[in-house]
Amino acid sequence: MNQNRAREFREARADELWRLSQILLEEGLIRDQEPITSAASQANRPELIDGVECWGYSFSRLEFLNIDIESNRHARPEGAVVMSIELSVAVFGPCLDDNDLSNPFTTLGVNIVVVGLSADGTKDLKCAWHFDRHIQKEGDPDPVLAHPIYHFQHGGDNVSQLNDYGKHLILDPPRIAHPPLDAVLAVDFVLSNYCGTKWSEMRIVNHAYKDLVAHAQERFWSPYALATAAICKTHAIISPWKVQNIWPQILIDRVIL
C-alpha cells in the first residue's frame, strides 16, 4: 500500500475512534472519553516497518457506566454486585485495502476487568477476561494445547496477583476461539454483555453506532469468517489463513491449507 492510501486508512481508523468516543459519551456509557481520543491520535501516526505501512493504538481503563443489574443476577459469591467495568485495548497491524483477506493484526490485546463488591460490603472482588492474538515465531514448536490464533481466556494477569482465591481454580485453558476485536468491536462486546438494555436500544435507534460496528465487522470479521468456512468440504475456499490456526481441533483432511 502506498503512502497516500495508508494515510487514508489511518485517518479512517482515527475518525472511527473519535466518533465512537462521542457516541459513548452522549449515550452516558463511559465516565471519560480521553482513553479513546488518545487512541485516535495514535492511530493517525505514520508507521513504516520493513517497508510495510502499519497502524495501531492502545488505551487503558476505559470505564463503563449504565451497567445492567441483570449482568450480575447470577453473581458469585451470592449477593455480590458489579461496581465497575474497565476495558483496555492494544492493536497493531498492516494498513490493508478493504477487500484484503489477510490477517488484519500482527499484535492484539484486549482486557476486560470487572470489579465487584461482596454482599456485606467488606470485600473487593475481581473478574477478568483477556483476549489476544497468539504469536508463534518461526521455528517455535507448535503449542501442545489448543491455541487458536485469536482467543479469550478467563483470568490472566489481572487476577494472577490476587491473594484470596477462595475455592476458585484459575487455569490458562481453555482458550476460546473468537473473531478479532478492535476498539469498536471490543466496546460492542462489553456493551452486549454488561449494558444490554442500552446496547439493544442503540442497535435500533443510534444509526451512527450501528454504522461503526457494521463497518468494523465487515473489515475484521469477514476475512476470519471466510477462513473458518474452509471446513466446508463442498466449497473451494481461498483464504491466506490456515483454518487450523483458528480452530486447532480440526482434523478434516480435505480443508484447503
Side-chain angles (χ1 to χ4, degrees):
M1 178 177 285
N2 63 41
Q3 288 184 344
N4 289 336
R5 290 170 65 186
R7 184 184 67 251
E8 293 172 356
F9 180 95
R10 296 188 191 98
E11 288 175 348
R13 305 293 80 76
D15 180 64
E16 289 167 352
L17 292 172
W18 282 107
R19 285 186 285 151
L20 177 65
S21 70
Q22 289 297 315
I23 291 169
L24 295 178
L25 197 64
E26 291 169 0
E27 294 283 355
L29 283 165
I30 55 174
R31 189 174 302 281
D32 182 7
Q33 66 186 128
E34 192 278 332
I36 302 183
T37 56
S38 173
S41 298
Q42 298 170 44
N44 242 333
R45 297 171 187 167
E47 187 97 36
L48 188 67
I49 297 180
D50 296 331
V52 178
E53 295 282 355
C54 297
W55 70 291
Y57 57 78
S58 64
F59 64 82
S60 300
R61 304 185 67 177
L62 177 69
E63 186 176 357
F64 288 84
L65 308 174
N66 265 314
I67 302 167
D68 280 359
I69 295 176
E70 181 74 10
S71 67
N72 54 255
R73 184 162 60 92
H74 299 293
R76 297 291 182 272
E78 188 172 350
V81 295
V82 174
M83 303 300 293
S84 69
I85 297 173
E86 293 180 349
L87 172 69
S88 301
V89 176
V91 300
F92 191 84
C95 299
L96 298 173
D97 292 320
D98 288 345
N99 60 350
D100 196 312
L101 299 177
S102 303
N103 193 333
F105 300 108
T106 53
T107 59
L108 187 155
V110 175
N111 284 291
I112 301 168
V113 179
V114 182
V115 177
L117 192 65
S118 61
D120 60 8
T122 63
K123 183 182 290 187
D124 292 329
L125 308 170
K126 182 180 284 189
C127 175
W129 284 87
H130 175 67
F131 178 84
D132 67 12
R133 181 197 191 282
H134 173 54
I135 299 176
Q136 184 172 356
K137 297 179 181 178
E138 188 174 350
D140 286 351
D142 290 336
V144 176
L145 303 177
H147 210 137
I149 187 169
Y150 291 109
H151 60 269
F152 269 105
Q153 286 178 273
H154 181 257
D157 292 342
N158 284 291
V159 297
S160 63
Q161 303 304 317
L162 296 179
N163 56 16
D164 183 0
Y165 292 96
K167 294 183 177 180
H168 194 174
L169 177 63
I170 298 175
L171 302 173
D172 282 346
R175 296 176 176 90
I176 304 168
H178 192 280
L181 304 171
D182 71 335
V184 174
L185 296 173
V187 164
D188 191 65
F189 183 89
V190 171
L191 296 183
S192 67
N193 282 282
Y194 297 102
C195 309
T197 301
K198 194 68 175 175
W199 176 74
S200 298
E201 174 191 317
M202 290 169 64
R203 286 166 65 88
I204 296 173
V205 301
N206 194 318
H207 298 290
Y209 181 75
K210 289 169 59 179
D211 182 67
L212 278 176
V213 174
H215 280 86
Q217 289 175 348
E218 182 177 5
R219 183 176 305 106
F220 300 121
W221 285 5
S222 291
Y224 182 94
L226 179 61
T228 61
I231 194 174
C232 301
K233 294 182 179 181
T234 56
H235 297 282
I237 303 299
I238 301 174
S239 171
W241 300 35
K242 285 188 176 181
V243 69
Q244 286 91 346
N245 289 345
I246 298 172
W247 289 343
Q249 293 90 347
I250 285 179
L251 288 174
I252 295 174
D253 57 8
R254 288 184 60 189
V255 295
I256 295 174
L257 304 179

